[in-house]
């Protein structure tokens, strides 16, 4: 059952309640390897479902457009203070509705439509909002893209420097959604300084690792940092923008009134709770365990003949290139889902296949680490992936069903916040 219980919901709307219960059970039963997902704590769940959702509070603490902010002002200030302390930044804005609007706010703050901006190409691991063509950021701005090197699978810093010198972007984004390696923030900072661009470090995926000391921090290198709060950071769906003092007011104006109306105060409360959790020693242990699990899983997959982009991982994320496995990313991901192992199909660098039917799958270890799995379970997880991918290529559904029941046997032993 969902925990906290949803008894009023069950009475008022059995249809929605049944779907919530089913989703909770699905999350409990599966091995969740979607790199951008996690399980929030029961405290974060509770904070998200409070009367704070009833309150309008356009503006910022002490400067609001609605009355009745006696409680919301200190709440938002608490979230901001915790973000500043946890990441060691001069300024934080906790109002962006999600990662994409947070990134859009940096465009509004530091560029004008038609200006050149630069980011990692989407099929190389970048995010849509780093100027990719189908995104508003690629339609309204001139997106130029750097890549990873063919031989190493890592960001090509020579190309970053050459492209920045020739294209003179207003904003340079570093970070991405399918980057299994450490981001070299000092190297990006040097390039941005040389061409007088604003460096935005988008740490959406790795924020929890940074907070827990398991990945270098961009603070002191990137004057502007955007992040979601719901990936490795393990908070509610939301986002934050952090910056030095010099960039603070332009960012605040871009979020409100530039892009958004009232902040989602229930989310602000849940972000504050997640930030407090992330400042404790247990979170640092979790962050290091996420990386240890990813390394162990990467090794176990490599031993079973899987080809990993860049040859491994430094963080929570692994990108498998299935070329040579006689199955493409999408059917492999679908078969793994039937086997109780949830991940997503993903393009790999220089992918000859189409984005909707690419050659790879992406996985991450944040959610299973929260669940309590350790390095000793990673060979088993790799085995199930290997068996399922082979079974899918052979059309062997019986084997896939057998893996699903073995997976459910394992996950039954690992508690999940939100399920009792
Ligand atoms: C997830 C992600 C985002 C977007 O976040 P949403 O909350 O899905 O809008 C932006 N940038 C990067 C690098 C991401 O991984």
């Amino acid at each position: 059952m969902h925990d906290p219980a949803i008894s009023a919901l069950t009475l008022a709307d059995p249809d929605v309640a049944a779907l919530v219960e089913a989703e909770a059970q699905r999350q409990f039963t599966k091995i969740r390897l979607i790199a951008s997902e996690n399980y929030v704590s029961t405290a974060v769940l509770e904070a998200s479902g409070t009367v704070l959702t009833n309150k309008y509070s356009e503006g910022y603490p002490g400067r609001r457009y609605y009355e009745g902010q006696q409680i919301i002002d200190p709440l938002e200030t608490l979230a901001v203070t915790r973000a500043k302390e946890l990441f060691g930044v001069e300024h934080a804005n906790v109002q962006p509705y999600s990662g994409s609007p947070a990134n859009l706010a940096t465009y509004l703050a530091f560029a004008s439509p038609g200006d050149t901006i630069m980011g990692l190409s989407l099929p190389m691991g970048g995010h849509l909002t780093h100027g990719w063509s189908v995104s508003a950021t690629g339609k309204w701005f001139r997106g130029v893209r750097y890549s990873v090197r063919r031989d190493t699978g890592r960001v090509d810093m020579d190309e970053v420097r050459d492209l920045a010198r020739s294209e003179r972007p207003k904003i340079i984004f570093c970070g991405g959604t399918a980057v299994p390696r450490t981001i070299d923030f000092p190297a990006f900072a040097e390039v941005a300084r040389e061409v007088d661009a604003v460096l935005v470090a988008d740490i959406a995926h790795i924020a929890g690792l940074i907070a827990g000391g398991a990945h270098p921090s961009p603070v002191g290198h990137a004057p502007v940092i955007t992040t979601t709060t719901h990936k490795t950071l393990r908070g509610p769906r939301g986002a934050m923008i952090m910056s030095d003092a010099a960039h603070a007011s332009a960012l605040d104006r871009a979020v409100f009134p530039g892009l958004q109306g009232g902040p989602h105060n229930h989310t602000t409360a849940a972000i504050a709770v997640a930030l407090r959790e992330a400042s404790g020693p247990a979170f640092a242990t979790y962050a290091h365990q996420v990386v240890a699990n990813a390394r162990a899983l990467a090794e176990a997959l490599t031993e079973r003949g899987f080809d990993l982009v860049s040859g491994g991982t430094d963080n929570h994320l692994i990108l498998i290139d299935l070329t040579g496995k006689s199955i493409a990313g999408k059917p492999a991901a679908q078969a793994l889902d039937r086997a109780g192992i949830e991940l997503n199909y993903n393009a790999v660098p220089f992918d000859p296949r189409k984005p909707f039917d690419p050659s790879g799958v992406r996985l991450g270890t944040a959610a299973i680490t929260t669940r309590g799995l350790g390095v000793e379970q990673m060979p088993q997880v790799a085995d199930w992936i290997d068996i399922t991918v082979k079974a899918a290529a052979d059309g062997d559904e019986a084997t896939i069903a057998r893996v699903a029941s073995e997976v459910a046997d394992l996950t039954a032993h690992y508690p999940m916040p939100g399920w009792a």
Side-chain angles (χ1 to χ4, degrees), residues 98-101 103 127 129-130 176-177 202 204-205 228 230-231:
S98 215
S100 302
N103 281 346
H127 193 260
T129 56
H130 298 179
T177 62
D202 181 347
H205 262 268
T228 57
H230 48 270
K231 300 181 183 175

Side-chain angles (χ1 to χ4, degrees), residues 382-393:
D383 251 347
W384 282 329
I385 292 173
D386 188 28
I387 291 166
T388 303
V389 166
K390 283 191 187 118

